[in-house]
Amino acid sequence: MRDTINKWIDFFRDKVRSLKEIQALLKELGKDETREMIAFVLMEGLRFLKTCRIRKAKGSIYFSIEDPATMGQVLEGVALVYPFIQDKITLVPEFGDSYYYGDICLEGKIRLIHLLILLIRLLRNRAFRRLVLKGGKHGK
C-alpha cells in the first residue's frame, strides 16, 4: 500500500515539475527579445533556402506527440509551409505516442559559402550567441 502511495506521489511531483518547466518556457518565449531572435532566425533560414535553389524534393515524415495541444501547435506551424510541399513531401501526424522519423531527399545547388554566410549572420546576433553558445538561461 505504501509503495503505491509513494508511486503516486512521485508521479504527481514529476507532473508538477514538467508544468513548471512548460511555464518557464512559455514565459521565455513571451519576451520581446526571444520573439525578435526567432523572427531573425526564420528570416535568415528563408534567405538561405532561397540561395540553395532546391529544385527537387521528395520524402515522407512521420511524427507523433502525446499532448494533443502541442500536436495542434505543431500542425499550425506545418500548415504555413504545407502548400509549398504538399506534392513533394508526405506528412503523417499520429496521436498517442511520442516519436518522429522520416526520409527526405533534396536536390539543388547548396554551396558551402552560403552556409558559412548563414552561420556568420547568426553568430553576429548577440541574442543568438547567448542562447547557443552559453546554453540559454539555465546553462543546459
Side-chain angles (χ1 to χ4, degrees), residues 3-25:
D3 292 335
T4 307
I5 293 172
N6 287 335
K7 286 181 185 178
W8 278 104
I9 290 172
D10 290 339
F11 174 76
F12 286 118
R13 281 184 187 159
D14 291 340
K15 290 299 178 184
V16 168
R17 285 183 197 141
S18 65
L19 287 174
K20 287 181 180 179
E21 290 173 2
I22 291 171
Q23 281 181 329
L25 177 65

mmCIF file of all heavy atoms in Angstrom, residues 3-25:
data_model
loop_
_atom_site.group_PDB
_atom_site.id
_atom_site.type_symbol
_atom_site.label_atom_id
_atom_site.label_comp_id
_atom_site.label_asym_id
_atom_site.label_seq_id
_atom_site.Cartn_x
_atom_site.Cartn_y
_atom_site.Cartn_z
ATOM 1 N N ASP A 3 3.929 1.509 -1.048
ATOM 2 C CA ASP A 3 4.620 1.636 -2.329
ATOM 3 C C ASP A 3 3.726 2.303 -3.370
ATOM 4 O O ASP A 3 4.180 3.134 -4.151
ATOM 5 C CB ASP A 3 5.063 0.259 -2.842
ATOM 6 C CG ASP A 3 6.164 -0.341 -1.984
ATOM 7 O OD1 ASP A 3 6.898 0.442 -1.333
ATOM 8 O OD2 ASP A 3 6.280 -1.571 -1.962
ATOM 9 N N THR A 4 2.472 1.948 -3.374
ATOM 10 C CA THR A 4 1.528 2.544 -4.317
ATOM 11 C C THR A 4 1.374 4.037 -4.059
ATOM 12 O O THR A 4 1.365 4.844 -4.994
ATOM 13 C CB THR A 4 0.156 1.850 -4.205
ATOM 14 O OG1 THR A 4 0.330 0.441 -4.337
ATOM 15 C CG2 THR A 4 -0.788 2.350 -5.270
ATOM 16 N N ILE A 5 1.269 4.412 -2.815
ATOM 17 C CA ILE A 5 1.139 5.830 -2.458
ATOM 18 C C ILE A 5 2.398 6.588 -2.864
ATOM 19 O O ILE A 5 2.318 7.681 -3.431
ATOM 20 C CB ILE A 5 0.851 5.983 -0.946
ATOM 21 C CG1 ILE A 5 -0.528 5.416 -0.618
ATOM 22 C CG2 ILE A 5 0.952 7.445 -0.526
ATOM 23 C CD1 ILE A 5 -0.827 5.338 0.860
ATOM 24 N N ASN A 6 3.571 6.003 -2.612
ATOM 25 C CA ASN A 6 4.821 6.662 -2.999
ATOM 26 C C ASN A 6 4.933 6.804 -4.517
ATOM 27 O O ASN A 6 5.440 7.807 -5.018
ATOM 28 C CB ASN A 6 6.024 5.887 -2.454
ATOM 29 C CG ASN A 6 6.172 6.059 -0.959
ATOM 30 O OD1 ASN A 6 5.714 7.053 -0.395
ATOM 31 N ND2 ASN A 6 6.791 5.085 -0.314
ATOM 32 N N LYS A 7 4.464 5.811 -5.250
ATOM 33 C CA LYS A 7 4.480 5.906 -6.713
ATOM 34 C C LYS A 7 3.599 7.050 -7.190
ATOM 35 O O LYS A 7 3.952 7.798 -8.086
ATOM 36 C CB LYS A 7 4.026 4.588 -7.336
ATOM 37 C CG LYS A 7 5.062 3.504 -7.246
ATOM 38 C CD LYS A 7 4.564 2.230 -7.892
ATOM 39 C CE LYS A 7 5.558 1.098 -7.693
ATOM 40 N NZ LYS A 7 5.071 -0.157 -8.277
ATOM 41 N N TRP A 8 2.410 7.180 -6.585
ATOM 42 C CA TRP A 8 1.507 8.265 -6.972
ATOM 43 C C TRP A 8 2.096 9.628 -6.606
ATOM 44 O O TRP A 8 1.987 10.585 -7.375
ATOM 45 C CB TRP A 8 0.141 8.091 -6.306
ATOM 46 C CG TRP A 8 -0.719 7.109 -7.054
ATOM 47 C CD1 TRP A 8 -0.994 5.832 -6.697
ATOM 48 C CD2 TRP A 8 -1.387 7.335 -8.289
ATOM 49 N NE1 TRP A 8 -1.791 5.239 -7.623
ATOM 50 C CE2 TRP A 8 -2.057 6.149 -8.615
ATOM 51 C CE3 TRP A 8 -1.485 8.417 -9.135
ATOM 52 C CZ2 TRP A 8 -2.807 6.018 -9.776
ATOM 53 C CZ3 TRP A 8 -2.245 8.288 -10.302
ATOM 54 C CH2 TRP A 8 -2.892 7.100 -10.603
ATOM 55 N N ILE A 9 2.725 9.706 -5.474
ATOM 56 C CA ILE A 9 3.351 10.968 -5.061
ATOM 57 C C ILE A 9 4.466 11.336 -6.042
ATOM 58 O O ILE A 9 4.573 12.490 -6.473
ATOM 59 C CB ILE A 9 3.873 10.868 -3.612
ATOM 60 C CG1 ILE A 9 2.695 10.809 -2.635
ATOM 61 C CG2 ILE A 9 4.795 12.041 -3.283
ATOM 62 C CD1 ILE A 9 3.089 10.521 -1.206
ATOM 63 N N ASP A 10 5.304 10.365 -6.412
ATOM 64 C CA ASP A 10 6.369 10.625 -7.392
ATOM 65 C C ASP A 10 5.793 11.032 -8.743
ATOM 66 O O ASP A 10 6.323 11.916 -9.421
ATOM 67 C CB ASP A 10 7.254 9.389 -7.555
ATOM 68 C CG ASP A 10 8.095 9.120 -6.320
ATOM 69 O OD1 ASP A 10 8.303 10.073 -5.528
ATOM 70 O OD2 ASP A 10 8.536 7.965 -6.149
ATOM 71 N N PHE A 11 4.698 10.381 -9.143
ATOM 72 C CA PHE A 11 4.051 10.716 -10.412
ATOM 73 C C PHE A 11 3.595 12.168 -10.418
ATOM 74 O O PHE A 11 3.843 12.911 -11.378
ATOM 75 C CB PHE A 11 2.864 9.770 -10.635
ATOM 76 C CG PHE A 11 2.039 10.121 -11.837
ATOM 77 C CD1 PHE A 11 2.492 9.822 -13.108
ATOM 78 C CD2 PHE A 11 0.813 10.743 -11.688
ATOM 79 C CE1 PHE A 11 1.728 10.138 -14.211
ATOM 80 C CE2 PHE A 11 0.042 11.063 -12.782
ATOM 81 C CZ PHE A 11 0.502 10.756 -14.056
ATOM 82 N N PHE A 12 2.931 12.606 -9.366
ATOM 83 C CA PHE A 12 2.441 13.978 -9.301
ATOM 84 C C PHE A 12 3.584 14.986 -9.192
ATOM 85 O O PHE A 12 3.505 16.088 -9.741
ATOM 86 C CB PHE A 12 1.440 14.151 -8.157
ATOM 87 C CG PHE A 12 0.101 13.542 -8.447
ATOM 88 C CD1 PHE A 12 -0.389 12.512 -7.672
ATOM 89 C CD2 PHE A 12 -0.655 13.996 -9.514
ATOM 90 C CE1 PHE A 12 -1.616 11.945 -7.944
ATOM 91 C CE2 PHE A 12 -1.888 13.437 -9.795
ATOM 92 C CZ PHE A 12 -2.373 12.396 -9.017
ATOM 93 N N ARG A 13 4.655 14.636 -8.501
ATOM 94 C CA ARG A 13 5.821 15.527 -8.433
ATOM 95 C C ARG A 13 6.413 15.742 -9.825
ATOM 96 O O ARG A 13 6.779 16.857 -10.188
ATOM 97 C CB ARG A 13 6.881 14.945 -7.513
ATOM 98 C CG ARG A 13 6.607 15.136 -6.067
ATOM 99 C CD ARG A 13 7.755 14.613 -5.230
ATOM 100 N NE ARG A 13 7.413 14.641 -3.820
ATOM 101 C CZ ARG A 13 7.991 13.919 -2.903
ATOM 102 N NH1 ARG A 13 8.963 13.080 -3.221
ATOM 103 N NH2 ARG A 13 7.618 14.005 -1.653
ATOM 104 N N ASP A 14 6.527 14.661 -10.586
ATOM 105 C CA ASP A 14 7.060 14.776 -11.944
ATOM 106 C C ASP A 14 6.165 15.659 -12.812
ATOM 107 O O ASP A 14 6.646 16.464 -13.602
ATOM 108 C CB ASP A 14 7.219 13.401 -12.592
ATOM 109 C CG ASP A 14 8.320 12.585 -11.956
ATOM 110 O OD1 ASP A 14 9.203 13.197 -11.292
ATOM 111 O OD2 ASP A 14 8.303 11.346 -12.098
ATOM 112 N N LYS A 15 4.853 15.508 -12.675
ATOM 113 C CA LYS A 15 3.919 16.322 -13.463
ATOM 114 C C LYS A 15 4.018 17.796 -13.088
ATOM 115 O O LYS A 15 3.988 18.671 -13.944
ATOM 116 C CB LYS A 15 2.474 15.828 -13.280
ATOM 117 C CG LYS A 15 2.201 14.509 -13.917
ATOM 118 C CD LYS A 15 2.410 14.577 -15.404
ATOM 119 C CE LYS A 15 2.192 13.228 -16.040
ATOM 120 N NZ LYS A 15 2.480 13.220 -17.453
ATOM 121 N N VAL A 16 4.151 18.077 -11.797
ATOM 122 C CA VAL A 16 4.278 19.463 -11.349
ATOM 123 C C VAL A 16 5.589 20.061 -11.873
ATOM 124 O O VAL A 16 5.625 21.203 -12.328
ATOM 125 C CB VAL A 16 4.185 19.547 -9.807
ATOM 126 C CG1 VAL A 16 4.598 20.911 -9.307
ATOM 127 C CG2 VAL A 16 2.774 19.216 -9.353
ATOM 128 N N ARG A 17 6.668 19.280 -11.830
ATOM 129 C CA ARG A 17 7.948 19.767 -12.360
ATOM 130 C C ARG A 17 7.837 20.070 -13.847
ATOM 131 O O ARG A 17 8.334 21.086 -14.314
ATOM 132 C CB ARG A 17 9.049 18.734 -12.127
ATOM 133 C CG ARG A 17 9.530 18.663 -10.722
ATOM 134 C CD ARG A 17 10.666 17.676 -10.597
ATOM 135 N NE ARG A 17 10.853 17.327 -9.199
ATOM 136 C CZ ARG A 17 11.143 16.126 -8.758
ATOM 137 N NH1 ARG A 17 11.305 15.135 -9.591
ATOM 138 N NH2 ARG A 17 11.281 15.911 -7.468
ATOM 139 N N SER A 18 7.177 19.179 -14.610
ATOM 140 C CA SER A 18 7.058 19.408 -16.044
ATOM 141 C C SER A 18 6.172 20.618 -16.328
ATOM 142 O O SER A 18 6.443 21.381 -17.254
ATOM 143 C CB SER A 18 6.532 18.169 -16.752
ATOM 144 O OG SER A 18 5.216 17.877 -16.335
ATOM 145 N N LEU A 19 5.136 20.838 -15.525
ATOM 146 C CA LEU A 19 4.296 22.016 -15.710
ATOM 147 C C LEU A 19 5.077 23.299 -15.431
ATOM 148 O O LEU A 19 4.926 24.300 -16.134
ATOM 149 C CB LEU A 19 3.063 21.944 -14.822
ATOM 150 C CG LEU A 19 1.996 20.943 -15.241
ATOM 151 C CD1 LEU A 19 0.892 20.882 -14.195
ATOM 152 C CD2 LEU A 19 1.426 21.310 -16.591
ATOM 153 N N LYS A 20 5.931 23.259 -14.408
ATOM 154 C CA LYS A 20 6.751 24.438 -14.108
ATOM 155 C C LYS A 20 7.743 24.705 -15.232
ATOM 156 O O LYS A 20 7.988 25.857 -15.585
ATOM 157 C CB LYS A 20 7.482 24.249 -12.787
ATOM 158 C CG LYS A 20 6.579 24.347 -11.582
ATOM 159 C CD LYS A 20 7.343 24.181 -10.296
ATOM 160 C CE LYS A 20 6.398 24.276 -9.099
ATOM 161 N NZ LYS A 20 7.099 24.093 -7.825
ATOM 162 N N GLU A 21 8.296 23.648 -15.819
ATOM 163 C CA GLU A 21 9.216 23.828 -16.939
ATOM 164 C C GLU A 21 8.490 24.409 -18.144
ATOM 165 O O GLU A 21 9.025 25.272 -18.838
ATOM 166 C CB GLU A 21 9.870 22.498 -17.311
ATOM 167 C CG GLU A 21 10.856 22.008 -16.279
ATOM 168 C CD GLU A 21 11.374 20.616 -16.588
ATOM 169 O OE1 GLU A 21 10.991 20.042 -17.636
ATOM 170 O OE2 GLU A 21 12.169 20.098 -15.788
ATOM 171 N N ILE A 22 7.272 23.954 -18.394
ATOM 172 C CA ILE A 22 6.482 24.483 -19.505
ATOM 173 C C ILE A 22 6.150 25.951 -19.269
ATOM 174 O O ILE A 22 6.231 26.780 -20.184
ATOM 175 C CB ILE A 22 5.203 23.648 -19.706
ATOM 176 C CG1 ILE A 22 5.575 22.263 -20.236
ATOM 177 C CG2 ILE A 22 4.233 24.339 -20.651
ATOM 178 C CD1 ILE A 22 4.424 21.289 -20.263
ATOM 179 N N GLN A 23 5.790 26.303 -18.038
ATOM 180 C CA GLN A 23 5.505 27.702 -17.717
ATOM 181 C C GLN A 23 6.740 28.565 -17.921
ATOM 182 O O GLN A 23 6.654 29.675 -18.446
ATOM 183 C CB GLN A 23 5.021 27.831 -16.278
ATOM 184 C CG GLN A 23 3.583 27.469 -16.074
ATOM 185 C CD GLN A 23 3.172 27.638 -14.619
ATOM 186 O OE1 GLN A 23 3.981 27.463 -13.716
ATOM 187 N NE2 GLN A 23 1.908 27.963 -14.410
ATOM 188 N N ALA A 24 7.908 28.071 -17.514
ATOM 189 C CA ALA A 24 9.138 28.836 -17.694
ATOM 190 C C ALA A 24 9.451 29.011 -19.177
ATOM 191 O O ALA A 24 9.866 30.094 -19.606
ATOM 192 C CB ALA A 24 10.298 28.133 -16.987
ATOM 193 N N LEU A 25 9.227 27.974 -19.967
ATOM 194 C CA LEU A 25 9.464 28.065 -21.404
ATOM 195 C C LEU A 25 8.517 29.066 -22.051
ATOM 196 O O LEU A 25 8.935 29.892 -22.875
ATOM 197 C CB LEU A 25 9.307 26.692 -22.052
ATOM 198 C CG LEU A 25 9.461 26.644 -23.563
ATOM 199 C CD1 LEU A 25 10.892 27.010 -23.951
ATOM 200 C CD2 LEU A 25 9.089 25.280 -24.082
#
